[in-house]
Amino acid sequence: MRRIVVAGTGSGVGKTTVTLGLMSAFKQKGYVVQGFKCGPDYIDPTYHTAVTGRRSRNLDSWMGNENVVRDVCKRGSEGADLSIIEGVMGLFDGKWATTNEGSTAEISIMTESPVLLVVDCSGMARSAAAIVRGFQSFHERVRIVGVIANRVGSEGHFRLVKEAIEQQCHIPVVGYLQKESDVTIPERHLGLVPSVERGELQPFFDELGKRTSKTVDLDAIWELAEANDLSSAPFFKPKQTYDVRIAIAKDAAFHFYYEENLEMLQAYGATLVYFSPLAGERVPDDVDGLYIGGGFPEEFAAELARHEEVKQSIVEVIESGLPTLAECGGFMYLTEGIVTTAGQYYEMVGVIPGHVRMQRTLAALGYREVMGAEGNFLFEQDRAKGHEFHYSTFIPRTEGKFAYEAKGLRGCKKDGYMDKRLVAGYVHFYFPSNPSIVERWLKTCEEVKCDA
């Protein structure tokens, strides 16, 4: 088995560009490549999936325990020649400033994976060796096996960096990427633009792969990526299956779903039926549950607002008691409307009294441990884990019933909205943190189906 973690000295050093370049380059050599992303990020995995042709998966050591991380990595790597795990932030950055919890470093330890460190070398030469040396000595169980020098000015600049690092750190510098603005990935307020909105990306990936092959020693990385086979126990075992159909909103406006969430629904017997609100598709007939994930409804507010029949179909099924989960963008869509940063108001579904106002600054970011409120059909008085990342605030019109209590770094707060069999809020839930969520949801769906 071969796998390697692409880690950075910090955010913004070019991990994603390097990761995509390696994925494309190895695929061009004929290898089957599997992508993973450390942490709760949804956007980078869409790029991994687009370039490799295999569904990328998240490895999160806070939302999931060590066995979950190992099992997801093991199962996801089946059939692949090489697994490339993209890190998050800096190598040692995680939930706390004093521990490795939730960090790329912890993922590398849990998965027993060697680490390829990406260093932004613009404006330095010998100093790069001091940076690498510090990272090498910071934790004895993190195995940094090589370095990629990013954003070097020239091949001569790279040789200086390579000589300094290899002399002081005794690990190979396996290649470099130069400063090239024409291969950067566009960004916006939630990070990298999802590939689903980008159209045909193959020429971009092909060019990035070719450039990577020219300046990076792929054979050396292949050798450095050798790792032990992972042992793990399945992190969930269905005791019962449920013959139900779950409608899932899936398009450019709604596409933030953890792969494990969807696979767990299927493993417990659910048939997933996809539909696109953005394309004017109503909630499918003969479904027993509804799942509207996160995404960018604010970017498509005008189009979503125009589809009155779609909105009405959602109102009808939710008011009829269809067990529904709406996360972040889905929650925003179910409110009465969205006010954009330009001040324009667009009418949304309207089952949640109140509206959402977009802002240019981050409204919330971080992990959440959630306890369900009384009457929450998904996890009443039970806990689950997830995360928030949004640039909007909800302004309620009336006092609603909170769906859960969310605990983050800044304490606890009552949050979300609940009515009948609707649970909605800004938290993106990670089902592996509590498989009972899936069982309760599908059991409720089956009960509603039988009563119909």
Side-chain angles (χ1 to χ4, degrees), residues 337-416:
I338 294 176
V339 180
T340 68
T341 53
Q344 294 175 295
Y345 178 84
Y346 293 99
E347 191 174 281
M348 295 291 111
V349 174
V351 295
I352 298 176
H355 69 276
V356 165
R357 180 175 293 275
M358 300 303 303
Q359 59 189 50
R360 299 187 186 279
T361 56
L362 192 64
L365 169 65
Y367 288 120
R368 300 290 183 265
E369 185 171 14
V370 178
M371 174 176 280
E374 183 179 353
N376 185 323
F377 77 92
L378 279 179
F379 51 105
E380 181 178 338
Q381 302 300 305
D382 200 0
R383 295 183 183 276
K385 290 183 175 181
H387 83 283
E388 283 188 49
F389 186 14
H390 54 93
Y391 280 72
S392 69
T393 54
F394 173 60
I395 303 168
R397 181 170 52 80
T398 61
E399 187 174 334
K401 190 172 183 181
F402 294 111
Y404 44 73
E405 182 177 83
K407 179 182 179 182
L409 287 176
R410 297 182 180 180
C412 296
K413 64 173 182 176
K414 293 182 178 180
D415 212 348

Side-chain angles (χ1 to χ4, degrees), residues 259-295:
E259 195 66 19
E260 274 60 47
N261 286 15
L262 301 179
E263 289 188 352
M264 288 179 71
L265 289 170
Q266 291 175 307
Y268 280 91
T271 299
L272 308 186
V273 185
Y274 294 96
F275 74 107
S276 169
L278 195 57
E281 297 175 358
R282 294 168 52 92
V283 177
D285 295 331
D286 194 26
V287 294
D288 312 298
L290 174 62
Y291 191 4
I292 310 178

Side-chain angles (χ1 to χ4, degrees), residues 316-331:
E316 290 172 358
V317 297
I318 290 177
E319 290 189 345
S320 72
L322 198 73
T324 300
L325 173 62
E327 301 172 328
C328 201
F331 165 63

